Amino acid sequence: MLGGVAAARFGTLRAFQVGAVIFASASIVCVFAPNVAILVAGRALQGVGGAFVVPASVAVALVGWPDSRRAFAMGVWTGAFPIGSTTAPIISSALITGGQWRLIFVVPLGLMLITLGLSLMLRAGGQLNAAAGAAEVALPDIIGMIAGTFATALTALGLVEGNTWGWTNWKTIGAFVIAVVCNPITAGFAADIAGGTRVA
C-alpha cells in the first residue's frame, strides 16, 4: 500500500526504480549473508523493494501499448505472476540440490538488474513520465497501512499454521479474529487512496 502511494506521489517510474534498487541490494545481502539473521533481514528488505515495484509495474507494463491493446498488456502482466511462481521453485530446487543455495538469490538479482536497465531506457526515451504526481496526493495513512499489513500477515499465519496448531486452537482463531478486526481500518485507508490520488 505504501508503494502505491509512493508511485502516485513521486511518479511511477521513479518508485519502480527505487524498488528495483532496494530489491537488488537486498539480493546481494542474501547472497553473502554470513548467518541466518542477516539472511532473514535481506529477505525482509526484498519484500520492501517488491512493495514499491509491484504497484508501479502496472503503469510501466502499459508503456507503448495503444488503448485498444491495454487489456492484452494487462493480461501479459497478470500472466507473469503464475509463470514466476511455477518456475521459481523448480529452479531453486535444482540450485539447492546442487549444493549452491546462495545462487537462488543470484537469479532474482540478475533479473532485477536487467529490469532496472530496461527502466532506465524508458526514462531516457521519455516513454514514461518520471515526474512527481499531483501535489495534493496525501501522505499515506500509517495506521491503515499497518492494519492492512497485520490483516494480511495474520490471515497467512492462520492458514499456514492451522494444521499444526489446530483449527480450533486459540492461536489460530485469534489470528483470524485480529485480521478481521484490522480489515475495516484497511478498507478506510484504501478508500482514501482511491478517492484522493491518481497515478502519475
Side-chain angles (χ1 to χ4, degrees):
M1 290 179 285
L2 178 61
V5 174
R9 188 175 180 85
F10 303 114
T12 50
L13 183 55
R14 183 175 289 111
F16 183 86
Q17 291 174 330
V18 167
V21 170
I22 293 174
F23 192 94
S25 301
S27 298
I28 294 174
V29 171
C30 293
V31 170
F32 296 102
N35 53 55
V36 174
I38 300 299
L39 179 61
V40 171
R43 290 289 290 154
L45 192 59
Q46 281 184 323
V48 174
F52 281 89
V53 168
V54 173
S57 67
V58 178
V60 175
L62 294 177
V63 172
W65 292 91
D67 291 344
S68 60
R69 297 287 289 168
R70 286 198 166 194
F72 174 78
M74 284 305 302
V76 174
W77 180 87
T78 304
F81 286 95
I83 293 174
S85 61
T86 301
T87 58
I90 299 173
I91 297 173
S92 298
S93 298
L95 294 173
I96 293 174
T97 301
Q100 299 294 328
W101 66 266
R102 294 180 186 273
L103 290 179
I104 66 176
F105 299 108
V106 174
V107 174
L109 171 60
L111 292 174
M112 191 56 69
L113 290 176
I114 292 172
T115 301
L116 182 60
L118 292 173
S119 72
L120 291 174
M121 291 173 60
L122 289 178
R123 179 188 289 273
Q127 293 177 278
L128 185 63
N129 182 20
E136 66 270 16
V137 174
L139 291 174
D141 174 4
I142 301 300
I143 295 177
M145 184 183 68
I146 294 174
T149 301
F150 269 101
T152 303
L154 290 172
T155 300
L157 178 64
L159 291 173
V160 171
E161 298 294 343
N163 282 328
T164 302
W165 291 343
W167 295 105
T168 57
N169 185 278
W170 68 269
K171 290 187 290 187
T172 305
I173 296 175
F176 288 133
V177 168
I178 297 174
V180 170
V181 171
C182 288
N183 272 321
I185 303 174
T186 308
F189 169 80
D192 289 341
I193 297 304
T197 63
R198 60 188 177 93
V199 177

